[in-house]
Amino acid sequence: MGKLKFLSMLIIVLLGIYYFYGDEFQQSGITGVSNEIKDDVQSIIEHPQLHAIIDTINQEFQLLRGRIENLGEENKDTKMTDVEKPDLSVPSSQTFSIYNIELGDTKAEVENEIGNAKRNSLNEYGVDWYTYHENYQNFVMVAYNANQQVAGLYTNQNLLTSTNGLTIGSERNNVRSALGDPIDGIRKGFTYYQTQNNEEYDTFLIDQNYVTIFYDLHQGETVTAVQIISADLESEKAGFFADPSDQLRQGFESQLFDLTNAARVVHGKRVLAWTESVKETARHHSEDMASNNYFSHTNLDGETPFDRLTSDGIDYRMAGENLAAGQSSSIFAHEGLMNSLGHRKNILKGDYHSLAVGVAFGSDARPFYTENFITP
């Protein structure tokens, strides 16, 4: 039975060869057919379209192999130990509280309840954001005034309580029903700065505090984050943009890194590591955009983000880049990026392992932000 199958296959092959090379066989015999077949095979191998297909298959294979190699690590990293959620109470003296913290509380009271900050870094108000979290769970940022009282709060996690029932996840219509119309600007000296209330956020003046409520446009225009700044702290900021400094640049970089990880945790993604060498690549691109007044992933020399990483000696199997410019802080930059689908995809991509952020300021103090995500 096996021999019969083999003979049948052999006959089919010979008939196929004769169909394509019968004329050559009659003119030059077996030798001519053999040479003709070799020439045809060679022309197929050298065809440029075939090379492109082979390159694409090879790239996809390398990516698949990397994912398989890291499958165990990926599962381990994304399965974080859940941190106990705090018991949240309705605020006693303000309309809103975050992590049971209200503006006016003392730093000692805050840290007695939630422990010491993981880091502190300069913000646009001339004071530090103190960042509290447990592996980016229960994430809150707190700013203190000169009297060590809470003057600013921010969270993008489910830590918000209010006297009117608004929480993270509330719909925009419910926010405006409860709080009324947002303000249209803030006066600083003789200048009236218009607040850019749009689909992405609203700013309200409540309890002599500026409350900015950010919405997730990709999850039903629901509340995704809240920033509360006291009127006194807001008045310390002279203009729309803060005065540039190296300390502020480092602050914006650290804050954008922390905000990204806090958002990833909400969506069940691994916490990204900081890569110092990649920070230089990100900073250089922000500096280049700020100095030469352009905004693009491709620089004026035609280099892409991948070209820049390679030129700086960064090894990677996967990489992505997010850019933002003109936002007054890392908080506004981050919330804007989360509402842009392509940037959001990078922020929440489970395959990335690390992130670095580079910030630079233009001649008008406008910040430029570059995020570089990589998987080594």
Side-chain angles (χ1 to χ4, degrees):
M1 189 69 181
K3 289 183 179 180
L4 182 59
K5 186 182 290 186
F6 173 76
L7 288 172
S8 299
M9 291 297 296
L10 182 60
I11 291 169
I12 291 170
V13 171
L14 291 173
L15 287 173
I17 292 174
Y18 187 79
Y19 177 81
F20 288 105
Y21 299 100
D23 292 342
E24 186 66 31
F25 178 75
Q26 291 176 1
Q27 293 176 15
S28 307
I30 292 177
T31 302
V33 170
S34 176
N35 291 334
E36 185 74 10
I37 291 173
K38 287 179 181 178
D39 290 342
D40 287 347
V41 170
Q42 189 65 31
S43 66
I44 292 171
I45 291 172
E46 293 176 353
H47 196 285
Q49 192 170 8
L50 180 66
H51 276 282
I53 293 171
I54 291 172
D55 287 344
T56 300
I57 292 171
N58 183 54
Q59 290 174 19
E60 292 298 322
F61 174 75
Q62 294 297 331
L63 181 58
L64 178 62
R65 187 180 70 175
R67 287 180 175 173
I68 292 172
E69 288 173 353
N70 291 311
L71 186 59
E73 180 185 350
E74 177 81 16
N75 289 339
K76 180 180 69 175
D77 287 348
T78 55
K79 274 192 165 183
M80 294 179 295
T81 302
D82 287 335
V83 174
E84 184 179 354
K85 297 295 182 185
D87 292 326
L88 300 177
S89 304
V90 175
S92 58
S93 59
Q94 303 273 322
T95 301
F96 292 101
S97 67
I98 294 175
Y99 208 152
N100 294 329
I101 305 166
E102 299 179 42
L103 266 65
D105 290 350
T106 67
K107 184 179 180 184
E109 290 171 335
V110 170
E111 297 197 340
N112 185 56
E113 289 296 320
I114 65 175
N116 295 328
K118 299 297 183 183
R119 81 161 94 227
N120 59 288
S121 56
L122 187 66
N123 64 26
E124 68 276 19
Y125 295 103
V127 298
D128 283 5
W129 278 123
Y130 286 76
T131 305
Y132 302 87
H133 60 86
E134 296 177 69
N135 200 25
Y136 291 99
Q137 298 178 68
N138 295 336
F139 178 86
V140 61
M141 295 165 65
V142 184
Y144 302 100
N145 61 21
N147 297 322
Q148 296 298 290
Q149 293 176 304
V150 176
L153 287 167
Y154 168 88
T155 190
N156 57 2
Q157 297 187 0
N158 193 17
L159 298 170
L160 177 71
T161 53
S162 65
T163 57
N164 49 32
L166 296 177
T167 63
I168 298 295
S170 292
E171 295 180 358
R172 180 208 300 274
N173 291 339
N174 293 336
V175 171
R176 291 192 171 181
S177 294
L179 302 180
D181 293 330
I183 61 172
D184 59 9
I186 300 174
R187 180 171 296 281
K188 293 178 179 292
F190 295 106
T191 306
Y192 190 75
Y193 292 93
Q194 233 177 354
T195 53
Q196 300 174 24
N197 296 306
N198 52 30
E199 293 183 343
E200 296 186 3
Y201 64 85
D202 290 322
T203 300
F204 303 88
L205 182 59
I206 303 169
D207 304 327
Q208 290 302 300
N209 304 319
Y210 290 99
V211 180
T212 301
I213 297 183
F214 299 93
Y215 304 106
D216 190 330
L217 303 186
H218 306 294
Q219 292 191 342
E221 298 185 357
T222 53
V223 177
T224 188
V226 174
Q227 175 183 268
I228 307 172
I229 300 294
S230 73
D232 287 341
L233 183 58
E234 183 65 51
S235 68
E236 295 293 320
K237 185 166 168 258
F240 183 73
F241 297 126
D243 292 334
S245 69
D246 190 56
Q247 193 178 1
L248 183 60
R249 171 167 71 170
Q250 293 176 35
F252 280 175
E253 289 169 348
S254 298
Q255 291 151 26
L256 192 49
F257 175 78
D258 287 340
L259 291 162
T260 300
N261 272 328
R264 285 175 65 88
V265 165
V266 170
H267 292 269
K269 306 302 180 183
R270 73 161 82 221
V271 170
L272 299 175
W274 176 267
T275 305
E276 188 68 18
S277 57
V278 180
K279 180 194 74 176
E280 296 306 315
T281 302
R283 267 193 184 181
H284 288 157
H285 188 55
S286 288
E287 289 168 352
D288 189 41
M289 290 190 294
S291 298
N292 294 293
N293 195 30
Y294 75 95
F295 183 72
S296 175
H297 291 287
T298 302
N299 66 21
L300 300 182
D301 294 324
E303 294 176 324
T304 67
F306 313 105
D307 295 329
R308 293 191 290 272
L309 288 168
T310 300
S311 178
D312 288 346
I314 307 299
D315 293 325
Y316 63 91
R317 288 184 291 110
M318 187 184 305
E321 182 178 85
N322 283 352
L323 301 179
Q327 295 84 358
S328 60
S329 72
S330 288
I331 288 175
F332 281 86
H334 169 74
E335 297 300 338
L337 290 169
M338 282 294 287
N339 274 324
S340 169
L341 277 177
H343 299 105
R344 182 188 185 99
K345 183 178 178 181
N346 273 337
I347 290 170
L348 301 180
K349 194 175 184 68
D351 293 327
Y352 287 137
H353 287 197
S354 63
L355 165 66
V357 181
V359 172
F361 300 96
S363 57
D364 57 357
R366 181 167 64 124
F368 288 77
Y369 308 84
T370 300
E371 294 180 318
N372 284 146
F373 302 83
I374 69 165
T375 298

